[in-house]
Amino acid sequence: MKRVDVGKWLLLSLVLAVLALLAACGSSSPTVTSVSVACTPNTITSGGTSQCGAVVGGSGNIKQTVVWSSNQGSISSSGLFTAPMVTSQQRPVITAVSSQNSAQSGTYQITVNPTGPSITSVSVSCSPSVLQSAQTSQCSAMVNGIGNFDNAVTWSVSSGSISGSGVLTAPIVPTNTQVTATATSVQDNTKSAFTTLNISPAGTVSSVTVSCALSTIQSNQDSQCTATVGGTGSFSPAVTWAASPGTTTPSGLYVAPTVSTSTAVPVTATSVQNSAQAGSATVTVNPVAAGNNVVPVTVDAGPTNSYVNGAFASATICVPGTATCQTIDHLLVDTGSAGVRLLASGAAGGELGLALPQKLAPDGNPLNECFPLADGFVWGPVAQADVMLDGEQASTLAVQVIGQAGESSVPGTCSNGTTDLSALSALGANGILGVGLFTQDCGTACTQAPTNVYYSCPSGAACHPITLATTSQVLNPVPFLPGDNNGVLLQLPAVTPPGATTLSGTLFLGIGTQANNGVGSAAAYTTDSNGNFLVTYNGTNYPGSISSGLNANNLLNSTTVPQLPACTGNFSQYYCPASTQSISATNVGINNASSPITFGVDNAMDLFTTNPTFAVFPTLAGPSTAVPQAFDWGLPFFYGRNVFTAIERANTPLGPGPFWAY
């Protein structure tokens, strides 16, 4: 047995310890520096799957585990991606995050195609892309897709016109102008493309002449002016308008200011293409003649601060034959109905506090009325009152008191499932000033058989419908004025969209009876016995009427006018097109007088939410509730027009009523 060399052993142990120490000092903690991701296959269809994998890079003893996620579809913890259902090509992003270091991640995009043929892109080109006014350019579209897709497109152009085959006709422009031509896939209207063309003017402008429909008007009235531009070649007919004093719209409507003396106003049109060429016409503005037939009108949010397009006026109401009177403001001016209707104070929320004597039914019981409106009904007793409009009084007039406390309950035949508007919160006005075409509110229809309009209301018993002579019905106040009693003129200035907070106008009593209610160049559109003329739209005739009591132009429905979808929810009584729509129709009187009407329709929800302080909206429209379908022109029709309402059988300078004229 050998003897152990203790010195060598100690030396070896020391060396081994030093080596272990050096090994320990040279090691470090694992570090993740990258994550790379790949998926196979990289193109799949709706609902398909792709297996994704991740490689984690770094130093030391790093972990290869990751956390998976995707911005579309779903992915399992093992990296199996399931595609979403798509109608067009999508590019979901797959993300893998290191479980060891969440700051390190990698991504990968997978292409997901619909199961059927799909459109991926559209490209457009036009040749030539530089042209002059009225010249043409051939545009073409390239549609790309997957599968047996449809390569058809629809064409649109920002200005000028373009045919279905892509032939673009440049607009006539006064200055260098850019025009965009857009092709949209028929199969997938989310896929489109456009190109820009440069248009330059052609031809020369040598003259501008101006004429105005009314050469003499009064303060705050208007006159439509037109300009004729002369020249050679494809010159631009565009002009700019100016007048002082007063204002002009881009379409040439001159609106006079308030003047105290007769004032000659030049209305001037200047060529946009050649500002050296201009023309003018003179409109003489006279002060409004003093009279007692002028009723101020205000379009505002009403007593509830929530009304839109409501024209309101005031009237003084008196107990018949006495000086016990009360002025009621914010009565809704309505050229589509007849009769004064006053909302009672108290629970109904109105202003009328007078105790007016109630009329009796033929059987001696109290007489009540259920008056139908476009969106419901109002209920209340028929009473008598002296009604004063400006300085003229209709004496002992049959009126309706709405929502009077202690009155009989609304009969079921009256409500018939419709909305009771007999309170301020529902009606939005302190009453209605009905100055429409007819003398009575129901006429002969209520004399022949009970029509659920007039009711006899015995004490302690249910009310029942009755017939009622025309002389006992609620009456239009205008025919019973001592003068200016053949109709009314409602005058409101033009409004530029989207609208305004308030608007001031005038209700003139009488037609052609004083200097301030002359008919000028207005044309009459006579109606039938129901108060309708015809409105022609797309070759079809519909019943038509003009009612300032409607807060929108109510026309047809979305089935007949598909470009005007109805709004949803609380706005379903209005239209909500995706963009401003221009609608054209023609009013045709029973006397065959006709005039084309073009008006804009905007999205009601956008109008209200974007302009919360506005009460005046000239482009507000909605579907008609009439059966059959109809065109019911509401207050927007009145903006910028002088609209006359002639009472049935009353003589006017335009002939006997009933008619509307403008």
Side-chain angles (χ1 to χ4, degrees):
M1 178 173 173
K2 276 190 165 184
R3 185 175 174 185
V4 175
D5 189 334
V6 175
K8 289 182 179 180
W9 184 84
L10 289 173
L11 179 60
L12 178 61
S13 298
L14 181 59
V15 169
L16 291 174
V18 170
L19 290 173
L21 180 60
L22 291 173
C25 292
S27 66
S28 61
S29 60
T31 302
V32 175
T33 58
S34 65
V35 179
S36 58
V37 180
C39 301
T40 304
N42 61 3
T43 300
I44 56 179
T45 57
S46 293
T49 60
S50 176
Q51 182 61 57
C52 300
V55 175
V56 181
S59 60
N61 187 23
I62 59 175
K63 296 180 180 180
Q64 291 295 317
T65 56
V66 295
V67 177
W68 293 98
S69 63
S70 64
N71 65 340
Q72 291 179 273
S74 61
I75 190 167
S76 70
S77 59
S78 62
L80 182 65
F81 171 73
T82 302
M85 303 302 294
V86 299
T87 57
S88 61
Q89 188 182 80
Q90 303 291 316
R91 299 289 306 280
V93 177
I94 310 299
T95 302
V97 179
S98 167
S99 62
Q100 191 168 340
N101 181 3
S102 60
Q104 296 297 326
S105 63
T107 61
Y108 189 86
Q109 273 194 299
I110 289 180
T111 301
V112 179
N113 294 317
T115 53
S118 64
I119 306 298
T120 57
S121 66
V122 178
S123 59
V124 175
S125 63
C126 296
S127 181
S129 60
V130 178
L131 59 162
Q132 291 184 335
S133 296
Q135 289 184 339
T136 60
S137 175
Q138 178 62 62
C139 298
S140 58
M142 176 75 71
V143 180
N144 300 305
I146 299 168
N148 187 26
F149 61 86
D150 185 354
N151 61 6
V153 297
T154 57
W155 289 98
S156 60
V157 65
S158 61
S159 184
S161 62
I162 192 167
S163 70
S165 61
V167 177
L168 181 148
T169 301
I172 297 174
V173 298
T175 58
N176 291 337
T177 303
Q178 288 192 327
V179 170
T180 57
T182 302
T184 302
S185 166
V186 171
Q187 179 177 324
D188 181 359
N189 61 14
T190 66
K191 296 294 188 297
S192 63
F194 69 88
T195 189
T196 301
L197 299 90
N198 294 305
I199 316 298
S200 60
T204 59
V205 172
S206 57
S207 65
V208 178
T209 57
V210 175
S211 62
C212 296
L214 300 177
S215 59
T216 302
I217 57 178
Q218 296 180 37
S219 294
N220 303 311
Q221 289 186 336
D222 53 49
S223 180
Q224 181 62 58
C225 301
T226 57
T228 302
V229 180
T232 58
S234 298
F235 61 86
S236 171
V239 297
T240 57
W241 290 95
S244 181
T247 60
T248 55
T249 67
S251 62
L253 181 71
Y254 170 67
V255 181
T258 300
V259 298
S260 57
T261 59
S262 183
T263 305
V265 180
V267 180
T268 302
T270 302
S271 166
V272 174
Q273 180 174 329
N274 181 2
S275 60
Q277 296 297 327
S280 64
T282 299
V283 176
T284 300
V285 182
N286 293 319
V288 175
N292 56 354
N293 67 332
V294 180
V295 180
V297 171
T298 299
V299 181
D300 60 21
T304 62
N305 200 35
S306 60
Y307 214 104
V308 296
N309 287 341
F312 298 105
S314 297
T316 299
I317 308 300
C318 302
V319 176
T322 75
T324 305
C325 303
Q326 182 182 2
T327 297
I328 309 296
D329 65 22
H330 279 94
L331 297 174
L332 185 68
V333 178
D334 186 15
T335 61
S337 69
V340 177
R341 306 179 195 282
L342 305 167
L343 190 64
S345 60
E351 290 188 348
L352 181 69
L354 294 177
L356 299 176
Q358 184 169 0
K359 285 179 67 69
L360 300 178
D363 60 7
N365 292 314
L367 177 65
N368 275 36
E369 183 178 22
C370 174
F371 187 72
L373 300 173
D375 49 355
F377 68 92
V378 289
W379 169 258
V382 178
Q384 290 180 313
D386 292 343
V387 177
M388 183 172 292
L389 301 173
D390 192 19
E392 303 193 37
Q393 177 175 300
S395 300
T396 319
L397 196 74
V399 301
Q400 183 186 21
V401 180
I402 304 169
Q404 182 166 290
E407 278 305 308
S408 303
S409 300
V410 178
T413 52
C414 166
S415 58
N416 196 27
T418 58
T419 303
D420 188 350
L421 303 176
S422 306
L424 181 63
S425 58
L427 188 63
N430 288 322
I432 300 172
L433 180 60
V435 290
L437 301 171
F438 301 109
T439 303
Q440 302 89 15
D441 65 350
C442 188
T444 57
C446 284
T447 67
Q448 298 167 354
T451 57
N452 300 328
V453 173
Y454 285 102
Y455 287 78
S456 172
C457 294
S459 176
C463 300
H464 58 273
I466 60 171
T467 59
L468 192 67
T470 56
T471 53
S472 298
Q473 296 176 19
V474 170
L475 300 172
N476 185 334
V478 175
F480 299 92
L481 299 174
D484 305 306
N485 53 20
N486 58 353
V488 296
L489 160 61
L490 180 55
Q491 185 181 87
L492 293 170
V495 182
T496 302
T501 304
T502 61
L503 193 69
S504 296
T506 306
L507 179 69
F508 293 96
L509 305 175
I511 299 175
T513 57
Q514 296 195 40
N516 60 11
N517 58 18
V519 296
S521 61
Y525 303 86
T526 58
T527 74
D528 60 20
S529 59
N530 294 317
N532 291 318
F533 49 50
L534 297 177
V535 179
T536 303
Y537 175 74
N538 278 354
T540 301
N541 290 331
Y542 299 93
S545 65
I546 302 177
S547 174
S548 60
L550 296 175
N551 72 343
N553 288 327
N554 293 339
L555 58 131
L556 308 179
N557 57 38
S558 297
T559 301
T560 309
V561 193
Q563 66 268 41
L564 297 179
C567 305
T568 58
N570 294 332
F571 300 98
S572 59
Q573 70 270 39
Y574 302 115
Y575 283 131
C576 280
S579 60
T580 301
Q581 300 294 309
S582 180
I583 306 296
S584 295
T586 301
N587 288 343
V588 182
I590 302 304
N591 57 350
N592 290 321
S594 65
S595 67
I597 305 294
T598 298
F599 60 100
V601 178
D602 277 317
N603 185 301
M605 295 178 69
D606 290 346
L607 288 174
F608 298 153
T609 55
T610 306
N611 309 283
T613 63
F614 283 11
V616 184
F617 294 100
T619 56
L620 188 64
S624 171
T625 59
V627 179
Q629 294 184 69
F631 265 80
D632 297 317
W633 302 107
L635 195 68
F637 180 86
F638 288 75
Y639 298 146
R641 290 186 174 91
N642 294 337
V643 182
F644 298 85
T645 304
I647 306 293
E648 58 179 334
R649 295 185 295 276
N651 292 320
T652 78
L654 295 176
F659 64 75
W660 284 290
Y662 53 89

